[in-house]
Amino acid sequence: MFYDRLKSLIKEKNKSFNQVERELGYPKNALNDYKKGKIPSAKRAAEIAEYFGVTTDYLLDDTENQEQTYEYSVIQRRAKK
């Protein structure tokens, strides 16, 4: 599920996996592990969600609500500290 959402978001933004990895500062092919079903850490999921402007729930769950509210953004930033 996570990989499918990630792939869809990358396609929507007209980017490549390598481009997203570079912009997030990840090693090459770091996102490829998720194709095999690996689940990202909470930190990485938050980074990817923020990058695409969606919620971590949208990335990890079946929810169709991808809008990231201001309040949710604040909570994610605080969690990183």
Side-chain angles (χ1 to χ4, degrees):
M1 176 51 104
F2 173 78
Y3 179 78
D4 294 333
R5 287 281 165 92
L6 178 61
K7 186 172 147 183
S8 175
L9 288 167
I10 288 172
K11 186 176 181 179
E12 283 177 27
K13 301 291 183 184
N14 294 318
K15 301 213 178 228
S16 69
F17 276 86
N18 289 337
Q19 193 175 7
V20 172
E21 289 166 339
R22 275 193 313 274
E23 292 174 4
L24 287 170
Y26 297 162
K28 190 173 182 179
N29 295 321
L31 299 177
N32 218 21
D33 288 340
Y34 305 124
K35 188 174 187 176
K36 301 169 192 162
K38 182 178 176 186
I39 302 297
S41 67
K43 180 183 177 201
R44 186 158 283 186
E47 291 169 349
I48 294 169
E50 186 173 351
Y51 176 85
F52 287 107
V54 299
T55 65
T56 53
D57 283 344
Y58 177 75
L59 283 176
L60 300 169
D61 292 337
D62 289 331
T63 182
E64 291 301 319
N65 182 13
Q66 63 175 296
E67 291 183 19
Q68 185 176 31
T69 64
Y70 172 75
E71 293 83 8
Y72 194 81
S73 295
V74 170
I75 291 168
Q76 283 186 320
R77 277 190 233 114
R78 287 182 184 161
K80 288 182 184 178
K81 293 180 181 180

